[in-house]
Amino acid sequence: TGLFFWTAFLSDTRLKVDFSLEQMFPESDPEKDTYDSFIEEFNREDDKILLVYDCDNPTSRSNIAKIAELTEMMELDVEGVEDVISLSSIGNGDYFSEELSEEEWNLRAQDLLQHPIYPNLIISRDGKTGAVLIDLENDIVGQDARTEVLNKLESIMQTVDWEWHEAGIPVLRTRYVDLVSKERMIFIPLGCAVVFLILLYIFRQLSCVVLPGLSISITLVWVSALMAFLGISINLISYLTYILILIIGCSNCIHILMKYHECISPDGVTIKEAIRRVIKELGGALFLTSFTTAIGFFSLVMTNIKITREFGLVLGIGVILMFIVAIITIPIILLYVPRPEKKHIDRLINHSDSFSVDKIELFTRKYPYEIVVISILFFILSGIGLQKVDYNTSILDDLRPGNSIYDN
């Protein structure tokens, strides 16, 4: 495990984090082939950034001078910017010439609002809002390259006291990936906390929290080493591997520990006998559930999206590893852990205040026909709902009002 930890997090081939959306594109798809042909013949449509700014008067002499300075900084100081169009660059920079009189300046500002191209592109129809249109170089592809460009542009925008808004596909992709990355840093620790709280509530014994935590941690290190060895990065899909293994591993550990308490409940049964019975009676069933779960994830290998194939492969192997680690480490360590107190055994086995299924069984026996009818109704409603599922969705469709990306 120590070697795997070094491989995954410390070696030269350690895990990389890559949340770029370009990985979501299928490798072989007629529509993507058409899109690639379009790019080769014409130009990319995902390399334009629009920076909109609010100031007192975008066409005033002072603001034109400021936007001219900003335009020059964006063109010369930001590597990856191919061209910048702003109010100061109209007519090669001569439209708003410093040599113009005040009357000529105001006349040109009014004529600009009637221009067939520039209104609602670099200036609003009402003349109250300006914009900067930026064309990126063709090699600015991927999250890291876009982030570097946007960070430099943001530092330039902060040199003036204007209110800025960002738009364009590069901005959306970059900010969306940043949002996913921040949420990942929240949900993975939160998932760990929830799992450990559930284990603590069910068993109320420190050993029954530490053992699953140890087994799950070992599996996650092994899976991380596998990803590093295969060159699989932590991306928009593969980061879910950790959450899913955490949940599946918690389920396996609960099965083992509950069976252990059941087997050790009779008086006179030794810990070694109880563990032998756990492995004998539960091992096969636990393997089959893990195997069928893994097969389900392995089916994702059939897709034509690379990161989805990698996700299915790694998660399928991870589920099997989780079973192997849990069925080996937990019984071995239980041999050296003191026998559970009788109150914990009675609570878990007798279900006096725990998760008893006795009431559910009684309810099922009492109302079998009603349950069948309700199940059929739910099945029919589910079939109707499936007909209304929209498969033509965008990865950015989950953005709603109140989200920082949506609002800005």
Side-chain angles (χ1 to χ4, degrees):
T1 301
L3 177 62
F4 288 159
F5 183 88
W6 178 84
T7 302
F9 304 110
L10 302 176
S11 68
D12 294 335
T13 59
R14 62 182 176 272
L15 272 175
K16 303 294 191 300
V17 178
D18 183 8
F19 281 94
S20 59
L21 293 179
E22 286 78 7
Q23 300 177 91
M24 298 293 294
F25 297 156
E27 292 183 336
S28 57
D29 184 81
E31 294 185 1
K32 184 176 183 298
D33 294 339
T34 303
Y35 173 73
D36 292 338
S37 299
F38 172 85
I39 291 177
E40 291 178 3
E41 185 172 353
F42 298 98
N43 199 356
R44 288 171 52 197
E45 95 297 346
D46 60 347
D47 59 351
K48 305 294 188 294
I49 296 176
L50 185 66
L51 303 177
V52 180
Y53 57 91
D54 290 326
C55 58
D56 52 356
N57 181 8
T59 58
S60 67
R61 287 184 181 270
S62 60
N63 287 333
I64 290 294
K66 290 180 181 179
I67 200 63
E69 183 180 355
L70 295 179
T71 300
E72 184 178 0
M73 293 171 64
M74 292 176 182
E75 284 183 323
L76 301 180
D77 298 344
V78 180
E79 185 177 354
V81 172
E82 184 175 336
D83 190 26
V84 179
I85 300 176
S86 67
L87 291 173
S88 65
S89 64
I90 300 176
N92 293 324
D94 296 330
Y95 189 86
F96 285 111
S97 174
E98 289 293 334
E99 299 176 357
L100 296 175
S101 65
E102 196 66 30
E103 183 179 352
E104 291 174 328
W105 186 285
N106 293 334
L107 182 60
R108 291 203 172 187
Q110 294 176 6
D111 291 342
L112 182 63
L113 298 179
Q114 307 301 321
H115 196 278
I117 297 177
Y118 296 122
N120 285 344
L121 179 63
I122 58 174
I123 189 169
S124 61
R125 288 284 183 186
D126 57 8
K128 297 180 180 180
T129 304
V132 179
L133 181 62
I134 299 174
D135 187 11
L136 301 179
E137 295 178 355
N138 290 332
D139 59 349
I140 302 300
V141 179
Q143 177 69 10
D144 294 338
R146 289 195 304 263
T147 300
E148 185 177 354
V149 170
L150 287 176
N151 287 341
K152 291 180 180 178
L153 291 175
E154 188 172 355
S155 64
I156 293 174
M157 289 186 291
Q158 291 175 351
T159 59
V160 293
D161 188 20
W162 295 345
E163 182 180 350
W164 291 88
H165 302 275
E166 303 170 329
I169 295 178
V171 174
L172 280 175
R173 289 178 177 174
T174 304
R175 299 311 183 201
Y176 181 82
V177 168
D178 290 340
L179 177 66
V180 172
S181 181
K182 290 178 182 178
E183 290 182 346
R184 174 178 64 92
M185 301 303 295
I186 296 174
F187 289 126
I188 291 181
L190 184 62
C192 293
V194 170
V195 166
F196 291 137
L197 286 175
I198 290 174
L199 290 170
L200 187 62
Y201 178 75
I202 293 175
F203 296 102
R204 302 175 194 179
Q205 304 169 69
L206 183 60
S207 60
C208 292
V209 177
V210 174
L211 288 180
L214 179 62
S215 299
I216 295 171
S217 299
I218 291 174
T219 304
L220 292 178
V221 170
W222 287 15
V223 170
S224 299
L226 175 65
M227 293 173 63
F229 179 76
L230 296 177
I232 299 174
S233 63
I234 298 177
N235 51 54
L236 284 168
I237 295 181
S238 65
Y239 89 96
L240 296 173
T241 301
Y242 296 93
I243 292 291
L244 291 173
I245 289 180
L246 189 68
I247 296 171
I248 296 171
C250 177
S251 175
N252 289 349
C253 294
I254 289 176
H255 283 308
I256 294 173
L257 292 173
M258 286 294 291
K259 189 65 176 179
Y260 171 69
H261 282 78
E262 177 185 338
C263 294
I264 206 171
S265 60
D267 295 333
V269 177
T270 64
I271 294 178
K272 191 173 183 179
E273 292 172 343
I275 291 175
R276 184 183 294 113
R277 185 181 166 191
V278 168
I279 297 175
K280 180 180 179 181
E281 296 183 6
L282 188 64
L286 205 58
F287 168 76
L288 289 176
T289 57
S290 299
F291 179 74
T292 53
T293 303
I295 291 297
F297 289 120
F298 281 141
S299 65
L300 296 176
V301 177
M302 305 299 292
T303 65
N304 64 345
I305 300 177
K306 181 181 178 182
I307 61 173
T308 305
R309 293 200 305 267
E310 294 173 345
F311 171 71
L313 175 64
V314 170
L315 191 52
I317 295 175
V319 170
I320 297 298
L321 288 177
M322 185 68 249
F323 161 75
I324 294 173
V325 172
I327 205 66
I328 292 177
T329 58
I330 293 180
I332 290 177
I333 298 177
L334 282 175
L335 290 172
Y336 303 95
V337 174
R339 186 188 186 96
E341 296 180 16
K342 184 174 177 52
K343 63 178 182 179
H344 293 305
I345 296 176
D346 291 340
R347 178 179 56 82
L348 292 170
I349 302 306
N350 297 329
H351 306 290
S352 57
D353 61 343
S354 188
F355 301 94
S356 174
V357 296
D358 294 340
K359 293 181 179 179
I360 298 177
E361 182 183 4
L362 290 174
F363 183 83
T364 303
R365 290 176 178 273
K366 189 175 181 179
Y367 305 103
Y369 299 107
E370 290 84 348
I371 292 174
V372 171
V373 171
I374 293 174
S375 300
I376 293 174
L377 289 175
F378 271 111
F379 181 78
I380 295 173
L381 291 175
S382 299
I384 296 174
L386 285 174
Q387 304 300 319
K388 299 181 179 181
V389 173
D390 183 12
Y391 299 99
N392 297 316
T393 59
S394 168
I395 195 170
L396 302 176
D397 282 347
D398 58 345
L399 299 180
R400 295 290 183 272
N403 184 282
S404 59
I405 301 176
Y406 184 96
D407 294 339
N408 290 329

